[in-house]
Amino acid sequence: MAKYTIVNQETCIACGACGATAPEIFDYNDEGFAFVLLDGNNGTAIVSEDLHDDLEDAMDGCPTESILVESSPFKVPVE
C-alpha cells in the first residue's frame, strides 16, 4: 500500500523527534520546523515500503500530531 506524508508546519513545535526517528524522511528548515525530504513537504512522493516502520514511529512520536499520512497524494494548493 502506498503511503504519502506531509508535516503541518503550523502545528510543528520543532522538537526534533521525527528527524531522530526517521532521518531518511524528515529534516528541518531554517526555522527548525520539520519537513518531508522526499518532496519538499508537498505530500506527493511515495514513501518507500522499507521506511514505513520509521514513518509510523515518527508519526506516533510526534507530540503535536503534525505528521500526516495518507494512502494517496496530498493536494497542494496552487498559488
Side-chain angles (χ1 to χ4, degrees), residues 2-79:
K3 289 189 180 185
Y4 301 82
T5 188
I6 195 168
V7 176
N8 180 347
Q9 293 183 328
E10 297 292 318
T11 59
C12 177
I13 60 171
C15 71
C18 60
T21 304
E24 300 88 3
I25 302 172
F26 302 101
D27 201 359
Y28 307 96
N29 65 20
D30 292 339
E31 291 83 34
F33 298 111
F35 72 93
V36 179
L37 279 169
L38 307 173
D39 59 14
N41 208 50
N42 290 321
T44 57
I46 295 174
V47 177
S48 65
E49 284 191 39
D50 62 318
L51 296 175
H52 283 189
D53 287 342
D54 289 347
L55 175 61
E56 187 172 320
D57 290 345
M59 185 177 68
D60 290 344
C62 180
T64 58
E65 299 180 352
S66 296
I67 298 172
L68 309 175
V69 177
E70 294 289 337
S71 59
S72 59
F74 288 82
K75 295 185 192 271
V76 179
V78 178
E79 295 183 35

